[in-house]
Structures are given as C-alpha cells and as structure tokens.
Amino acid sequence: KYNFKDAFIRYKKYINDFMDSMKPDYIQYDDYPLRNGKILENYLPVIQYIANLAAEKGIEFHMVNQTFDMYDKGAQSVRKINAKEANWVNNMSLGFGVDTMAYFTYFTCPYSNTEGESFIDGSSFVSLNGEKTPIYDIMQNIMSNNQKYAPTILNFEFKKSGVFACLPMQTSASHLQYVDLNNTSYTKVKSVNVNKECALVNELYDEENDRYMYMAMNIIDPVNTGSTVYETITLEFSKEYKYAQVYRDGEIKYYKLKDSKLDIKAAPGEAS
C-alpha cells in the first residue's frame, strides 16, 4: 500500500540533494493535478513544500501546468481542462508566488503509444493543423488578466501557506488528506474563517515597499458546482487596517473593512 509519509521523506531528500548539488537560480516542475474525478492527493503538500524551499533559499519558483486529457489503456486518467479548471490552476500558481508559467500541451494524438497512452482532440492550444482551440482563448483571457496585475504582483514574494476547512466537508476532499489544516498564523491576518468546504490562504510580501498581500482561494474541485460549494472566506486583519485593495478577475476594487474583516465570496477555483 502506498505510504505518502515515507514517499514524501524520499522526495524532499531528492529535491534538497538536487538543490545543494546544482545551486539553481530557480526551481521549476510540472504537475497535472486535475485527474479523472479528483484532484491529485499529493499536489498541495508538494507545492507548499517547493514554495517554502524556494523562499528559504531566495530563488524563484516557476511552474509548468497542464492543458490536456489523457487516456491510459482506454481509461481517462487526466481530464480535459476547461475555463474553471484553468482558473483553479492559475490561481494556485499565483498564490504561491509563481511569476513564470508555462503550459505543457500535447499535440492531438488519438492513437495509443507503446505505453498505452492516448490524447483526445481539442485538448491542446492548437490542433495538428495549427488551428487555435477554445483552450487557447481561455488561456489568453487568463494571461491577459494576470498581465493587469503584473506591476503589483511581481513585487511580492511568497512567505507562507495555509489551508482552512469547515469540517466535516460535504464534497470529496481527498486532495486534503496529506495537508495540515486550520492552524497557520499570519503576519497581518489575525484569523481565517470559511463558512463551508475549504480555502487556501497564502501570504506574500513586498519587501521594498513593506506591504503584505494575501490570496484567498476556494480550492474545492471545480467539477463541483452550485450553492453548496460557493463559500465565503473571511479574513480578519490587524486593527490598524481600515481598507483592502482587492484584485480579482482582472479588476481592482477597494473595500472598507467592517470590524477589521473582509468577506471574499468564491466558487471553486476562484480567488481574490
């Protein structure tokens, strides 16, 4: 039986040995968290660890994300990405201070290779004929929104990450089984509350201007829809703060805090 604790110990040793040997200027890996019917169970603890390690060593953290669905021996193992899922992956990357993103996309390959893998038409940015697919437009819109934030976000470096859950959860939470819950403390946020399901709250810091930024994200699998997974994430700030500048979906808005609190409403994959 798979033992995550033992595997994670070996994984961290492997990464640290690589870092000590190569002394890179940045660390980058690729991951495909959106599996068939679930989110990869080790996705969150791994991205948390790598982001912390990069921050500790003072190097950049880059990411390669997925845009394809894959079938293995006739069974779907990685689902085709849509707009909500692309937003989930993008927000997750931004929240961990990733400022360089690449997207790994297979050309359509509807036949099996020697390992029994196949890829379905429409899952890559372009077809074999060079025609843009709907995924191209989805990514272009997301990257356009990111670009609007760039002058601000690029000044901030990742500091810490926390996952908060309202237990028991009503949806499948297999992607949280190896994640530490409900006990992260922050520099300027006194408390985090979620009214249902689960949220990721990450702290980033702009050293030059001595400013803090927090990302709050609904990390339920975006395959879930409707009011049952549309949650409110409440951040309670230190008393000296009266207003919040909020970035969301390519827009910037200002809110007056009520009792030092800010409510963020989010469907799965959405973040502020």
Side-chain angles (χ1 to χ4, degrees):
K1 186 177 179 180
Y2 174 72
N3 185 312
F4 174 79
K5 185 176 180 180
D6 290 344
F8 202 37
I9 290 172
R10 295 193 300 273
Y11 178 78
K12 288 190 284 188
K13 183 180 185 309
Y14 165 75
I15 296 297
N16 278 279
D17 286 349
F18 171 82
M19 299 283 278
D20 291 342
S21 176
M22 301 299 292
K23 296 179 172 53
D25 295 322
Y26 67 87
I27 187 167
Q28 172 177 296
Y29 72 99
D30 65 275
D31 213 341
Y32 317 115
L34 302 172
R35 303 300 167 118
N36 184 30
K38 65 178 183 178
I39 295 173
L40 196 63
E41 289 90 343
N42 60 14
Y43 179 77
L44 271 169
V46 168
I47 196 172
Q48 285 181 319
Y49 179 73
I50 297 298
N52 282 325
L53 187 63
E56 174 189 314
K57 294 187 176 295
I59 63 174
E60 294 182 1
F61 177 25
H62 298 180
M63 179 63 83
V64 180
N65 291 317
Q66 65 98 357
T67 70
F68 67 96
D69 58 343
M70 183 175 77
Y71 284 72
D72 185 7
K73 299 177 178 64
Q76 187 180 30
S77 58
V78 182
R79 74 181 88 157
K80 180 179 179 180
I81 200 166
N82 60 28
K84 291 180 180 179
E85 292 168 341
N87 202 38
W88 191 99
V89 173
N90 176 73
N91 286 331
M92 185 69 66
S93 297
L94 290 180
F96 282 98
V98 175
D99 56 21
T100 299
M101 278 180 265
Y103 284 87
F104 188 80
T105 176
Y106 284 104
F107 276 116
T108 299
C109 182
Y111 49 84
S112 296
N113 63 16
T114 55
E115 296 179 347
E117 296 176 350
S118 60
F119 307 98
I120 308 305
D121 191 24
S123 297
S124 55
F125 282 175
V126 294
S127 70
L128 282 174
N129 298 321
E131 301 163 333
K132 296 176 183 177
T133 68
I135 293 175
Y136 181 97
D137 295 325
I138 289 170
M139 291 301 175
Q140 187 179 51
N141 180 62
I142 288 174
M143 291 302 132
S144 176
N145 286 340
N146 286 353
Q147 198 64 32
K148 296 174 185 176
Y149 300 157
T152 296
I153 286 182
L154 292 178
N155 292 324
F156 286 84
E157 302 293 336
F158 170 81
K159 287 299 179 184
K160 60 181 65 175
S161 170
V163 177
F164 297 82
C166 183
L167 303 173
M169 290 173 55
Q170 302 304 307
T171 58
S172 172
S174 61
H175 64 303
L176 300 186
Q177 63 179 301
Y178 304 126
V179 178
D180 200 15
L181 297 175
N182 298 338
N183 64 0
T184 305
S185 60
Y186 302 97
T187 307
K188 300 296 182 179
V189 168
K190 293 174 61 178
S191 67
V192 176
N193 181 71
V194 290
N195 70 332
K196 62 180 82 166
E197 305 309 323
C198 60
L200 175 74
V201 177
N202 285 358
E203 179 178 284
L204 300 97
Y205 179 59
D206 175 0
E207 184 174 7
E208 182 180 351
N209 298 295
D210 189 27
R211 296 185 300 175
Y212 287 86
M213 178 166 66
Y214 294 88
M215 185 200 75
M217 175 181 171
N218 181 337
I219 56 172
I220 288 294
D221 190 332
V223 74
N224 297 287
T225 59
S227 60
T228 57
V229 290
Y230 188 86
E231 65 186 10
T232 299
I233 309 160
T234 301
L235 304 184
E236 181 182 3
F237 292 90
S238 302
K239 294 295 183 183
E240 66 265 30
Y241 294 105
K242 306 299 180 185
Y243 295 87
Q245 182 179 5
V246 179
Y247 293 74
R248 184 186 177 100
D249 297 331
E251 296 183 355
I252 302 172
K253 294 183 178 180
Y254 296 85
Y255 294 90
K256 185 174 182 178
L257 302 181
K258 184 177 181 181
D259 298 325
S260 303
K261 295 178 181 178
L262 176 69
D263 288 339
I264 297 165
K265 300 182 186 300
E270 292 182 343
S272 295

